[in-house]
Amino acid sequence: MDNPDKPLIYLIVGARPNFMKAAPLIRALEERAPEIKSLLVHTGQHYDYEMSKAFFEDLDMPDPDIYLGVGSGTHAEQTAKIMISLEKEIFDNRPDLIVVFGDVNSTLAASVVASKLMVPVAHVEAGLRSFDRTMPEEINRIVTDILSDLLFTTERDAIENLRREGIPDEKIHFTGNVMIDTLLTFADKARKSDITERLGLSDRNYAVLTLHRPSNVDVPEVFDGILEALAEVGKNIPVVFPVHPRTKKRLAEFGFLDKFSSDFRTPPAERGILLIDPVKYTEFLALEMKSLFVLTDSGGIQEETTFLGVPCLTLRNNTERPVTLEVGTNILVGTDPHRIIEESAKILRGEGKKGAIPELWDGKASHRIAKIIKTKMEEQK
Ligand code: UD1
Ligand code: UDP
């Protein structure tokens, strides 16, 4: 039976990019701090098999201990539903700490609820700023950080951002990037994946595309321009496009599926845009690793491509991850079709951006975090 005096922590996950961040910390806490009882709480923000359960299986994660099942909704609806359900859980079980990841609505909702119940909050991936408050994630980042007691950062710019916002130094810990812990743990499994063969793609002879930012896919003119550019790129190299559920909905709603159907190919892919469902982590990692380049508006994918040394064209005007520009392989190309086509052509000519691996992206971030959490729990006794 569990010792009732064991410190209890909740790890809160909800959306796809949370799972690969939580997985290594669950393992590191088990190894480094077995005296702590951790419960995994899944808000249910993402719920389709390929957006959620597939990651638990692929990353050998335990099933969630608590599932809130909130589902989709407007920002207020989704955030409120998480807050109502989580408040009850926290009230009943009184965890000693909650750990939140990244910048999604589940991160914000959990931080607010825990703070008001006087439960300390640890934020993994703190301090990132795009300085663009039209992005819902920027609001989530700012609020979560101001409420957090332990702020774990992935890059040095984040430390400066937090200082500027008045967060005291003793709360900030530069621990590195947990996504890279997961990437290194699963790199072998990814290398062995047969996804490229199944899709008829040959190594370094295709590009990967992901899109899901509302500013890109919810505005028909912007989305249309991007797809137009991609159709051009696809004349020279196949582009494999695992389609996020938000994006799938918009493609249908805006009638773009018909418009572009002549460019869609089924395997084997020689050129054109190959639409597929979202894939599990190790398959996506395999696609990234073996590609010539990646086009994306994702946050995490900018980091993975930098680590892998694969050129990344980010279809946004800003990034909260400047180290990927300064040190890594990332270039901001925005959404201007000409620029997307031009930068893709450069890579096809062999002029892709080269980069290096950022500081502390070494596979040990989750162990550094576990150590700090362990100390915090000892101090709180
Ligand atoms: C969310 C995060 C975003 C993150 C992205 C990662 C917020 C504000 N946004 O955006 O930061 O980059 O996840 O993927 O937290 N849907 C499904 N099935 C699912 C999940 C969603 O069909 O399993 C559809 C629903 O129509 C839903 C829409 O996708 O309305 C958007 O989902 P939501 O979680 O609100 O935002 P994302 O765009 O996924
Ligand atoms: N990813 C995945 N399958 C896909 C697309 C992405 O496993 O079909 C992974 C990707 O490798 C990265 C993470 O999902 O680890 C990024 O999540 P996402 O782009 O949804 O969110 P963001 O990082 O923009 O918040």
Side-chain angles (χ1 to χ4, degrees):
M1 229 181 83
D2 272 335
N3 174 356
D5 295 331
K6 261 186 160 187
L8 173 65
I9 71 176
Y10 277 9
L11 301 166
I12 315 283
V13 294
R16 176 167 71 184
N18 293 154
F19 308 131
M20 58 292 290
K21 292 171 194 170
L25 186 57
I26 295 170
R27 278 191 294 273
L29 283 167
E30 270 167 17
E31 279 174 36
R32 281 200 161 250
E35 72 282 10
I36 296 175
K37 181 178 179 186
S38 345
L39 293 185
L40 186 61
V41 181
H42 187 330
T43 65
Q45 175 172 348
H46 284 174
Y47 43 84
D48 287 349
Y49 173 81
E50 64 266 26
M51 295 299 286
S52 176
K53 184 102 173 57
F55 293 88
F56 284 75
E57 294 171 359
D58 195 28
L59 303 175
D60 296 326
M61 290 172 73
D63 285 339
D65 298 286
I66 299 169
Y67 186 72
L68 304 179
V70 300
S72 305
T74 64
H75 284 271
E77 283 165 356
Q78 189 174 61
T79 309
K81 278 194 211 157
I82 300 169
M83 289 173 74
I84 292 166
S85 306
L86 191 61
E87 184 180 54
K88 191 174 173 326
E89 291 294 338
I90 295 185
F91 202 77
D92 290 347
N93 296 316
R94 287 271 148 202
D96 299 288
L97 179 77
I98 70 148
V99 184
V100 296
F101 301 86
D103 56 16
V104 300
N105 283 347
S106 302
T107 315
L108 167 83
S111 320
V112 173
V113 170
S115 301
K116 291 202 171 180
L117 292 174
M118 309 288 183
V119 174
V121 177
H123 185 200
V124 176
E125 206 181 88
L128 297 181
R129 295 290 180 271
S130 63
F131 303 101
D132 173 5
R133 290 200 188 178
T134 65
M135 232 187 143
E137 293 80 5
E138 185 74 352
I139 316 266
N140 295 346
R141 295 180 195 118
I142 294 168
V143 176
T144 301
D145 284 339
I146 203 78
L147 297 175
S148 294
D149 300 85
L150 293 174
L151 296 100
F152 299 116
T153 61
T154 51
E155 54 174 278
R156 286 195 185 275
D157 295 86
I159 305 175
E160 285 317 307
N161 295 336
L162 293 171
R163 284 187 179 142
R164 209 179 309 114
E165 291 173 21
I167 309 282
D169 275 356
E170 56 273 21
K171 288 188 178 180
I172 306 171
H173 303 271
F174 180 31
T175 42
N177 194 334
V178 287
M179 289 197 85
I180 305 306
D181 297 11
T182 299
L183 191 158
L184 286 168
T185 304
F186 290 93
D188 268 347
K189 189 172 170 190
R191 265 182 225 110
K192 289 180 193 139
S193 160
D194 65 354
I195 182 149
T196 48
E197 286 87 339
R198 277 192 278 126
L199 295 174
L201 301 164
S202 49
D203 289 9
R204 304 279 166 233
N205 198 16
Y206 66 91
V208 182
L209 168 68
T210 82
L211 285 174
H212 69 271
R213 296 259 96 87
S215 56
N216 282 342
V217 304
D218 288 1
V219 186
E221 304 74 41
V222 178
F223 196 7
D224 193 21
I226 294 174
L227 289 178
E228 211 180 280
L230 264 300
E232 268 314 298
V233 175
K235 288 181 182 164
N236 298 309
I237 186 165
V239 180
V240 59
F241 182 14
V243 185
H244 186 283
R246 171 189 288 278
T247 311
K248 191 174 186 175
K249 221 165 110 181
R250 298 295 178 242
L251 278 172
E253 207 176 298
F254 299 152
F256 288 166
L257 278 168
D258 293 346
K259 183 171 186 240
F260 280 86
S261 60
S262 60
D263 286 302
F264 302 155
R265 296 282 188 280
T266 45
E270 280 158 23
R271 55 177 62 85
I273 302 173
L274 183 66
L275 286 169
I276 59 172
D277 283 330
V279 293
K280 62 184 180 180
Y281 178 80
T282 49
E283 290 189 338
F284 192 79
L285 184 55
L287 286 176
E288 284 180 282
M289 278 176 168
K290 299 175 188 177
S291 68
L292 181 66
F293 66 106
V294 172
L295 303 115
T296 193
D297 59 13
S298 156
I301 294 170
Q302 296 172 56
E303 296 183 341
E304 289 169 345
T305 45
T306 272
F307 185 82
L308 295 168
V310 171
C312 178
L313 302 181
T314 294
L315 308 180
R316 290 174 46 190
N317 296 319
N318 56 50
T319 180
E320 59 290 329
R321 292 159 159 92
V323 78
T324 61
L325 302 175
E326 291 151 12
V327 176
T329 54
N330 192 15
I331 300 178
L332 292 180
V333 295
T335 55
D336 173 28
H338 299 292
R339 181 91 203 276
I340 297 170
I341 294 166
E342 199 180 297
E343 292 295 338
S344 300
K346 271 195 206 160
I347 299 173
L348 285 163
R349 289 198 301 269
E351 296 164 22
K353 185 174 173 188
K354 307 229 169 3
I357 294 176
E359 196 181 351
L360 295 189
W361 290 21
D362 59 0
K364 296 177 188 150
S366 49
H367 279 269
R368 293 188 195 100
I369 293 174
K371 194 171 160 213
I372 295 164
I373 289 178
K374 182 182 167 88
T375 307
K376 168 96 174 154
M377 290 298 93
E378 283 163 4
E379 285 167 3
Q380 256 178 236
K381 252 188 203 160

